[in-house]
Amino acid sequence: MKIDMSREAVTKRLKIVNELRRACLSLANSNAGKRIMKKCSANKSVQRTSQSLGR
């Protein structure tokens, strides 16, 4: 399988990644995300998310 590395395809993938990143950060800032951060503070993924949010 060959990956499309054309300018348009790369730009489209970068836009999708940016949208996904924004959605993840929005969820992390939500009330549910804050509860998870308190409940599972020892979890490595939760720690990385918290660090990326500057908490």
Side-chain angles (χ1 to χ4, degrees), residues 8-24:
E8 295 82 17
V10 171
T11 301
K12 184 178 179 180
R13 287 194 297 269
L14 287 173
K15 286 180 181 180
I16 290 170
V17 167
N18 188 43
E19 289 175 13
L20 180 59
R21 181 185 63 81
R22 286 176 182 245
C24 289

Side-chain angles (χ1 to χ4, degrees), residues 25-54:
L25 291 175
S26 293
L27 287 171
N29 279 327
S30 69
N31 289 334
K34 291 175 184 175
R35 276 196 308 269
I36 291 171
M37 283 189 220
K38 279 187 174 183
K39 182 179 176 185
C40 305
S41 60
N43 185 302
K44 296 290 182 188
S45 294
V46 173
Q47 290 173 357
R48 283 193 302 266
T49 303
S50 181
Q51 184 180 13
S52 71
L53 292 172

